[in-house]
Amino acid sequence: MLKMIVMRLLGVALVLLAVSALVFAFGALIPGDMTSVIVGQEGATQEQFEAVRQRLGLDKPLPVQYVNWLANALQGDFGTSPITGRSVASDLVRQFPVSLELALLTLLVSTAIGLPAGIVAAVHANRRLDVLIRVTLLFTFSVPIFVIGILLLLVGSRWAPDLFHVSFTPWSEDPVMHVRSMAMPLLTIAFPITAMTMQMTRASMLEVLHAPYVVTARAGGVREKRIEYLHALRNALPPIVTFIGFQLGILLGGLIVVEQIFSLPGLGRGMLEAINTRDYPMVTATTLVFATAFVIINALVDLLYPLLDPRQRGR
Amino acid sequence: MASEGKTPLLQVENLKKQFHVRSRGARDIRLLRAVDGVSLHLEAGETLGIVGESGCGKSTLARLTVGLLQPSEGRVLIDGGDIWEPGAAGRERRRKFQMVFQNPSGSMNPRRTVGASVAEPLQAKGVRNTAEAVERMLTLVGLDPALATRKPHQLSGGQQQRASIARALIADPAIVVHDESIASLDISLQAQILNLLLDLQEDLGTSYLFISHDLAAVQAISHRVIVMYLGEVVEASAAEEFSGRPLHPYSVALRNATLLPDPAHERARGDTALRGDVPSPMNPPSGCRFHTRCPLATDLCAQQKPLLRDAGRGHLVACHYAEAGAGEVATQEGAL
Amino acid sequence: MSTAPSAPLPKTRLRRPYLLDQLLRHKGGAFGLAIMALFILLALFGRMVAPYDPNANDYLNLLSAPSAQHWFGTDELGRDTLSRVIDGSRIAVAVAFLSVSIAMAIGVLIGVISGYFGGMVDSVLNRSQDVLFAFPTLLLAIILVAVLGPGLFNASLAIAIVYSPRFARIARASALSIKTSEYLDAARLAGVNTPTILVRHILPNVMPPVIVLAALSMSTAQLAYASLSFLGLGVSPPQADWGSMLSKGRDFITIAPWLVIWPTVALVMLMLAFNVLGDAIRDVLDPSHSSSKSTDTLT
């Protein structure tokens, strides 16, 4: 078991190394040059150019640049943004909690609603309630997150101006305003994620509810409620948990979009802004943070799996 | 075992094939000896039957012989020339083989017509107009040539197998290897196909290597018979001699396992049926590989590996107690 | 639009002329096909039907509400929303087909090579795909567009790269199983050379599951592009494009809601059509849905 964990962690480390190399390569491949961003496109002399290049280490070969970049990044130093003049790390520290809060809240809400709703749907499979839920699902799957956001904005502008006319306020400044400013973004992103959780729970439960041991339990006179919530759910859980890994990709993508719609100062918005202003250190840093979070959480889900499913423990 | 001076059509010399197998969870790679030192020969127009249980290396031997697999050791010679000789010579030799497979529905591309599949060996030879040859071949194997435009799944199992035979024979191969080619057909169809094969051999003079777990089928079609156990040849003999006097205890057990409409045979079946499974070829038993399941086994069998030896009339057997064994088994049976 | 495997389908045979026939008989298929056809026609001939030039400014009617003159209203530059929604369908349809075709081409190429040849090639290709899978899809698409630069083709290429590993996986799995099939042994014995084997035997048998995946991927690709465009990474303005129209319309959402409503309607309708059609194509092509006789030969 311990050996397996060590091997997994080693694998994760290797993937992360490859990811960092790819992110660095992307940064290097983005058209344009950091020096010209700093010096300005016109009017700079060749000497000024060279001086800046040397100061930033851009005159060195790419592999050397990569190693330097990675070494600094591991110490939390992502360089200084040529656009804002601030250290990239300080921006990340400011942006990260916003995205994290939204992500955690989304997972909380989607599980709290999606899991019970999925069970109910499975137990009432193909009856009116279930059909209603599934039609809603089909609609949600056919709609991109930003469309949900826009629709909510439309509804909000008319019926809930209190939620609509709120710009992001940090928790430390005004908790009430903070909650109000997070409500719409959370609603937007939690919608499709909840639908997915429910869909997965329903499918997983349905499969388990027809399994021989559940039929046996039923034949043996175990109470229906006990069957549904204890026997079946316990066995339906592992696939649902694995599914979180898949949801996560959509969740992270959703964060970028939602932060953009509602002007939340999170990582996603930071990344888009950086791409538009050709803020190279910022682009690579935000991309790296997103990818790292994705890889690590997926690895955690992998490690969690054997705890939920005894059959996986022996492997 | 070279015959009298003349080079046989096909010679297989001390053929070995090992696979590297990594079992689940295990770190080490283990060696699976699928075929372990098999030699045989086949004359033009002759049928050699190879019989053994599943897992004894028959299929690997078939694939090695036709050149779908490269041997780890040993040679396959056709007219005295190695089929793995580099360059065009080797490639030309490998083309003298054709094969008919076990699963009739899986041996033709489901998306192409039967005619296209049958024509393939000719096309690969560079022949442009194959329609006539396909028609002639389909007629020869007893199919309506109109079936050429159908897809394989529109044919019955027997028709599919006839079409496979047509494909195998269309490019005029020297040798056709049958790997359990009738196993998945029902009994009445098996008989039809066996008769077809005999007729075709008479007409075309093709040699067959007929591989099967079904001793009755092998005896019905073969001139000579080889018995394999765990990758090795344990007995080799002319078919008639073999059916009258199987020597190896394994052959005896195999024969007793077949159903024959003969009360004497039925009575004699007794408890000589094979017990247990074939041991793993990754870890074959010491000495004689059959000793773990052999009714005659002694300490000698566990220690010393019996070599193939002539037991008279060109009948080869690898057993310390072959002659005694055959008799002994018979008397035991009689007592029951 | 049934996603559930309803009543057993009539015995289907995999021939192109039958595909259309089967789709039209499928309840969802006909519906999806109709909407798709509508959008494709709009994409091809929309400029002729559209009441105005999508980029013409009507300075007398800025942000005007839907009227007889401008059915869907106008935007902040006085451009006709209906004409722009129609013109935007060109981009939406083009991106969906382009990106899925490229993804299919890349994926099938990699998958077949990796499945058929195996060994080192397979390991290297697999590992590099694992690294691509380490990125959330939208993030990868965003960064790829940043690298490739904006524009219709680049955005499609970025989306194609993001989704190609899915095609590669499914193609690889099929190629692996076909590789060991008896008909491939028979072809090798017949002396058929490797390129011919790949084209004649592997490719046709790899395609059915790939086509099903392609059909199901159209809506995903469309969504990915709409998101990119919404984030400002699609085609450059002034080209009308649903995603960027929504993004711009958001600023005027309280005073001119028609600017976001109509592109949304168009987007959702097209996505619904792709989804329903994808499901229908899967129902028709997927061997596990057809009768038992063809099941064993199609897999």
Side-chain angles (χ1 to χ4, degrees), chain A residues 45-66:
Chain A
T45 64
Q46 196 61 33
E47 287 76 44
Q48 279 173 301
F49 244 87
E50 285 310 310
V52 175
R53 283 177 71 83
Q54 226 157 40
R55 183 162 57 81
L56 295 170
L58 293 176
D59 52 338
K60 299 201 178 72
L62 276 179
V64 178
Q65 286 185 43
Y66 166 65

Side-chain angles (χ1 to χ4, degrees), chain A residues 16 124 158 172 178 287 290:
Chain A
L16 282 178
H124 296 260
R158 178 148 306 211
S172 49
H178 175 76
T287 314
F290 267 123

Side-chain angles (χ1 to χ4, degrees), chain B residues 283-323:
Chain B
N283 189 14
S286 61
C288 173
R289 290 189 178 173
F290 186 58
H291 85 260
T292 52
R293 301 165 80 196
C294 182
L296 307 173
T298 61
D299 288 347
L300 176 68
C301 300
Q303 284 154 17
Q304 198 184 322
K305 187 188 185 84
L307 299 174
L308 265 184
R309 60 192 170 83
D310 194 337
R313 287 177 271 172
H315 195 145
L316 302 179
V317 65
C319 176
H320 296 300
Y321 304 107
E323 291 89 345

